[in-house]
Amino acid sequence: MKATLKYPIFQFSPDENMVYTFWKENKTTQLALLKKCKGWKGDIVIDSTGTKYTVRCSYMTGWKGIHGFTGMRTGMISYETEYEDNPEPFSLRQLQERIAERHPKTQWFREECWDSVDDFRQTILACKSFEELAETMMPRRKFTVLERIQDYFYMMLFSVFGVMLLYIIWRLIKKAWLWIVG
């Protein structure tokens, strides 16, 4: 069954502790990851309406870029996900309890700057909506206009330096070739 999910969504495997939060639809992944996870079969997806979907399978629909090569990454694909035919309601409280119980057991818990497990549990259980819970789990990065201008400036600056470096290397190779040939 194809489903239209209302974002943000939460995805987790029934036998693992990590709960992943997604703010928008992304139908791109690496082929190796899709194979390693066996198409995320059996994973549970909960959207912000409180509906629980179980993943039947995810499958490749096409390559991204030039046969999966997109800049620095290789093996990038587009994929589709099919869900089981019987979506169930899943309350916010159930999701909060699952996150409060399992997430502190992950290796990333301390890296996310939570000082204590009790503080984390209180914060998670105090959330009033799926959106607030998603914001607590993974804050949405919002760029200001100034930050975007700075990013574009730095990208252009590094591009210019890269072109200059390539030009210098080309000149050195040309001089070395002329010296060798002679």
Side-chain angles (χ1 to χ4, degrees), residues 115-139:
D115 294 330
S116 70
V117 175
D118 292 331
D119 181 40
F120 174 75
R121 287 191 175 130
Q122 288 176 355
T123 304
I124 293 298
L125 295 174
C127 295
K128 304 285 186 233
S129 68
F130 286 100
E131 289 79 11
E132 186 179 349
L133 181 61
E135 190 72 38
T136 303
M137 290 298 292
M138 188 179 93

Side-chain angles (χ1 to χ4, degrees), residues 2-100:
K2 301 274 184 187
T4 54
L5 305 173
K6 184 172 183 302
Y7 285 81
I9 63 168
F10 303 89
Q11 182 171 349
F12 56 89
S13 179
D15 55 344
E16 292 182 8
N17 294 325
M18 190 67 187
V19 177
Y20 298 95
T21 306
F22 299 98
W23 282 97
K24 60 183 179 178
E25 185 174 33
N26 183 7
K27 297 286 186 176
T28 305
T29 190
Q30 289 184 318
L31 183 60
L33 181 63
L34 185 70
K35 287 180 179 179
K36 178 183 172 190
C37 296
K38 297 178 182 130
W40 297 287
K41 183 178 180 170
D43 276 15
I44 296 170
V45 175
I46 300 167
D47 70 354
S48 60
T49 62
T51 306
K52 172 184 163 185
Y53 300 93
T54 304
V55 175
R56 180 183 300 159
C57 68
S58 294
Y59 55 90
M60 178 178 156
T61 57
W63 291 101
K64 295 295 276 186
I66 301 170
H67 195 67
F69 181 74
T70 56
M72 298 298 290
R73 296 187 175 172
T74 59
M76 298 302 291
I77 60 168
S78 298
Y79 71 95
E80 287 291 325
T81 303
E82 287 187 11
Y83 301 98
E84 298 290 336
D85 292 330
N86 53 353
E88 305 169 4
F90 200 84
S91 71
L92 175 63
R93 192 64 179 180
Q94 288 175 300
L95 182 60
Q96 288 171 323
E97 289 171 358
R98 172 163 178 97
I99 292 171

